[in-house]
Amino acid sequence: MKVRTGRSVKDYRAVWLDGSTVKMINQPLLPHFFRIASFKNHKETAKSISTMVVRGAPAIGATGAFGIAQATLEFRGTDMKKFRKHMSAAEKTLASTRPTAYDLFHGIKTVMDSIKNAKSVSEAQNTATATANSYADWSATNCRLIGEHGGKLIKRGSGVLTHCNAGALACVDHGTALAPIRWAHENKKNIHVFVDETRPRCQGARLTAWEMVMEGIPHSLISDNAAGHYMQRGEIDIVIVGADRVAANGDIANKIGTYEKAVVAKENGIPFYIAAPSSTIDFKCKSGMKIPIEERSQDEVLYMFGKPDGPLAMNTARVRVAPKETKARNPAFDVTPAKYIKGIITEKGVLKPSQIKNLKGLL
Ligand code: MRU
């Protein structure tokens, strides 16, 4: 993705491996500060996932893959029995960071599988590093293809609604839902993007809006409650969101609030699309109701986070919104049943939700 800071424009991926260090764009500081965070070992990298320094399904998938590669590189010695024990503990640590996004488990498994037959620690280290890097490249290519397939669904002059951040920041590059939007903009389709703010962590307001600014894509930030109004008034022609997990029956889990948008889109006859690479599909999960839904800290609802106005504010600040006695609940995702989904945009093309199970044979 292109990042403009002052007069310079530089290409970045959301996350990458530099030697044995995992580097990533520090997402909680955006849009106010652009910084790169570095994590020296797999335990630090695991924490970067659970604390959401990196977030978004394909991005945490690649981070999980890099974390496994890092764990191989951390190991000192040549004893394969001890090495296997170390790796299975590292796998557990990385896999227990967040429960919903399937890409995390896919990324971890891909690298773990690649070292199953390694005969020595050094062979495992080389293989794991190469596999994690090619996993990230594969993930970026898939998102680029999603952009090409999905971009063609967007008609000239459309209003496009998206929820959360399913952009380049949430992936290795390009994005899932934002890839078709980028493609449509590059192909001069004269689109306008409606960006849901996406309470409580405001990934729309903070991250999607930032990506739109970086790309110069016309957009309006709207409160989470406003999408139905603009659908009813005919200003939204298509909805494209990402997914954290796609079940075999075509149900999906995505950021909390997605389900409501899908229902209101159907009510208004507006096509509702999911953009997700094959790494997000959990073929073993029969339906959306079986997808584990992460419950996060109530503080994310009780407080808001931002940068105070004025040149002297050098840091972000947290402010409490609700009375001090009030408790909150905070599910991070919800499930949208397949019946509300017009199509799932994958790297292989646009599929009906009922066709998702057939993809298994094609991968
Ligand atoms: O809690 P987050 O910020 O990791 O959730 C991210 C989303 O829900 C995205 O929309 C999702 O990962 C879809 S595709 C990148």
Side-chain angles (χ1 to χ4, degrees):
M1 85 193 84
K2 279 187 190 55
V3 177
R4 275 185 273 130
T5 43
R7 278 202 208 132
S8 81
V9 183
K10 218 176 141 187
D11 251 314
Y12 280 91
R13 283 185 165 188
V15 56
W16 65 97
L17 187 65
D18 181 0
S20 61
T21 301
V22 172
K23 294 196 172 171
M24 59 183 67
I25 296 175
N26 192 332
Q27 299 195 35
L29 298 183
L30 288 172
H32 309 295
F33 305 100
F34 180 80
R35 302 267 191 281
I36 302 303
S38 298
F39 301 96
K40 289 204 165 53
N41 57 56
H42 80 274
K43 286 192 181 153
E44 285 184 15
T45 298
K47 203 161 168 212
S48 77
I49 301 172
S50 56
T51 57
M52 292 174 70
V53 178
V54 61
R55 29 67 50 206
I60 66 174
T63 307
F66 289 142
I68 293 293
Q70 252 181 334
T72 66
L73 298 169
E74 276 154 45
F75 187 79
R76 298 282 167 262
T78 53
D79 184 330
M80 281 308 272
K81 213 167 151 195
K82 285 193 185 143
F83 175 72
R84 296 276 176 221
K85 209 169 149 201
H86 164 77
M87 289 311 298
S88 110
E91 181 180 12
K92 269 199 201 107
T93 303
L94 285 156
S96 58
T97 49
R98 294 194 73 188
T100 305
Y102 189 66
D103 300 66
L104 174 66
F105 311 106
H106 188 270
I108 291 171
K109 184 175 176 334
T110 302
V111 184
M112 284 300 285
D113 282 355
S114 76
I115 57 172
K116 248 186 203 152
N117 300 321
K119 305 251 173 335
S120 67
V121 172
S122 66
E123 185 192 334
Q125 289 170 331
N126 291 335
T127 306
T129 307
T131 308
N133 279 319
S134 56
Y135 185 83
D137 291 343
W138 173 76
S139 185
T141 302
N142 286 346
C143 287
R144 186 177 54 69
L145 293 170
I146 285 173
E148 288 177 22
H149 298 308
K152 293 176 189 150
L153 299 169
I154 302 175
K155 296 201 180 89
R156 201 163 293 284
S158 287
V160 187
L161 176 74
T162 191
H163 189 66
C164 192
N165 172 259
L169 289 165
C171 303
V172 176
D173 206 351
H174 308 290
T176 54
L178 293 196
I181 287 172
R182 282 191 155 85
W183 190 92
H185 176 70
E186 278 159 19
N187 285 275
K188 315 245 174 306
K189 288 209 173 185
N190 189 27
I191 58 169
H192 188 90
V193 182
F194 288 80
V195 178
D196 283 340
E197 63 173 344
T198 320
R199 282 280 288 146
R201 287 190 68 113
C202 294
Q203 288 95 330
R206 296 190 299 105
L207 307 176
T208 300
W210 181 81
E211 289 196 39
M212 295 293 101
V213 170
M214 289 293 130
E215 299 283 342
I217 301 177
H219 64 286
S220 303
L221 178 66
I222 59 172
S223 73
D224 287 328
N225 316 324
H229 168 73
Y230 288 117
M231 288 194 213
Q232 202 177 45
R233 295 288 163 109
E235 293 201 38
I236 292 170
D237 303 287
I238 183 170
V239 185
I240 311 180
V241 300
D244 288 84
R245 198 181 290 221
V246 178
N249 69 344
D251 294 349
I252 68 102
N254 191 50
K255 181 54 56 195
I256 192 73
T258 301
Y259 169 49
E260 294 177 1
K261 305 297 173 255
V263 174
V264 182
K266 187 157 183 124
E267 165 73 15
N268 287 279
I270 296 166
F272 182 91
Y273 286 96
I274 297 300
S278 53
S279 51
T280 309
I281 307 169
D282 180 359
F283 292 104
K284 288 204 190 103
C285 181
K286 289 209 170 68
S287 89
M289 287 304 139
K290 303 248 183 266
I291 299 176
I293 299 295
E294 177 180 15
E295 288 256 356
R296 294 188 62 85
S297 161
Q298 58 171 335
D299 283 1
E300 292 182 351
V301 180
L302 297 170
Y303 293 83
M304 284 197 74
F305 192 73
K307 181 173 163 289
D309 271 344
L312 296 179
M314 295 309 287
N315 270 315
T316 49
R318 195 173 90 135
V319 291
R320 188 167 177 113
V321 179
K324 67 178 184 333
E325 298 80 2
T326 296
K327 303 252 179 292
R329 295 195 63 188
N330 184 18
F333 303 98
D334 61 22
V335 169
T336 301
K339 67 176 178 182
Y340 295 108
I341 301 168
K342 168 118 183 166
I344 301 184
I345 311 162
T346 72
E347 72 271 23
K348 304 277 179 203
V350 184
L351 304 175
K352 291 202 178 87
S354 60
Q355 294 174 310
I356 277 297
K357 54 185 178 312
N358 308 337
L359 202 56
K360 198 172 180 187
L362 293 176
L363 297 172

